[in-house]
Amino acid sequence: METWDAVRSRRNVREYRPDPVRAEDLRRIVEAGWRAPSASNRQHWDFVVVTDREQLTRLATVWPGAQHVAGAAAAIALVLPEAPDERTRLTDRYDLGQATYAILVAAADLGIGTGHAGVGDQEKAREILGVPGTHTVAYLIGVGYPADRPLQLIRNPARRPFDEVVHYGTFASTSSS
C-alpha cells in the first residue's frame, strides 16, 4: 500500500479476527515506532509487545477503553520513564504521539488494524508487563486483522469539514486564497 493510501485507510479497529499477526509484520510495525522522531533524539520510550492471550485479557482491564485489547492478536505497550519535570513530560508524550502514529500507519500499510487506548490502573499495568515503578505505561495499541471488513480507503471520513479545521495565516482565516 502507498503511504497516502495507508493514511486514508487507517481506522480504529476494536474487534479482531483470531488470526495471529506474523512475527515479521509485528516487528516491522514496532520498528516504525522505534524509528519515529523524538526531541533531541532522546528516545525515552520503550515498547513492550504482548501476544500471550492471558496477558492481553488482563491488559484489557487497565482502562475502560482498552477492552478491545483482549481480542487483539497482539498489543504494544508504550512505556516512558517518570519525567523529572513538566517540560520533559510534555515532550516525551509528544514523542509517543509520533511513535504511535508511525505504528498505526505501518500496521495499516500491511492491512493490519489497530486501536489505541490509555492506561488508568498503572499498578496493574506495571505488574502485568513487568514494568518498574520508575516508569509509566502510557498507552496501549491493540493489533490484529479487522473482524468486520479489511482496511480500505475511507472516501468520506466522519471528520469536521477540512475548511473549518484548516486555517491559513491566522486562526480566523479558513481559505488559502
Side-chain angles (χ1 to χ4, degrees):
M1 188 179 293
E2 294 291 324
T3 303
W4 184 234
D5 290 342
V7 168
R8 295 185 304 154
S9 298
R10 197 217 65 77
R11 60 183 166 87
N12 285 334
V13 174
R14 302 281 189 225
E15 293 183 24
Y16 306 93
R17 294 191 332 232
D19 318 35
V21 172
R22 296 180 330 156
E24 56 269 25
D25 289 345
L26 199 49
R27 181 177 172 84
R28 180 174 173 171
I29 291 165
V30 177
E31 183 177 338
W34 174 75
R35 288 180 176 271
S38 71
S40 301
N41 201 28
R42 289 183 302 198
Q43 306 167 55
H44 283 173
W45 53 55
D46 285 278
F47 307 116
V48 181
V49 180
V50 177
T51 57
D52 177 76
R53 180 61 44 212
E54 181 185 335
Q55 259 186 303
L56 292 167
T57 300
R58 292 180 63 212
L59 276 176
T61 66
V62 301
W63 183 252
Q67 295 173 359
H68 66 281
V69 170
I76 303 166
L78 289 77
V79 179
L80 287 172
E82 292 293 338
D85 54 58
E86 184 64 8
R87 182 177 190 271
T88 302
R89 188 186 76 75
L90 289 172
T91 303
D92 286 350
R93 293 287 175 143
Y94 187 86
D95 289 351
L96 273 191
Q98 294 185 96
T100 297
Y101 198 65
I103 288 168
L104 303 182
V105 171
D109 181 59
L110 296 168
I112 297 170
T114 53
H116 59 281
V119 176
D121 190 337
Q122 281 298 314
E123 287 184 35
K124 190 176 199 180
R126 287 183 188 117
E127 184 269 319
I128 294 166
L129 298 168
V131 172
T134 56
H135 288 66
T136 298
V137 182
Y139 308 109
L140 299 173
I141 302 171
V143 179
Y145 297 98
D148 57 351
R149 65 189 188 282
L151 297 181
Q152 57 194 0
L153 288 180
I154 302 169
R155 301 206 184 281
N156 296 305
R159 314 293 297 171
R160 287 175 47 209
F162 185 83
D163 290 337
E164 181 183 303
V165 174
V166 179
H167 308 269
Y168 297 90
T170 65
F171 186 81
S173 72
T174 56
S175 173
S176 63
S177 51

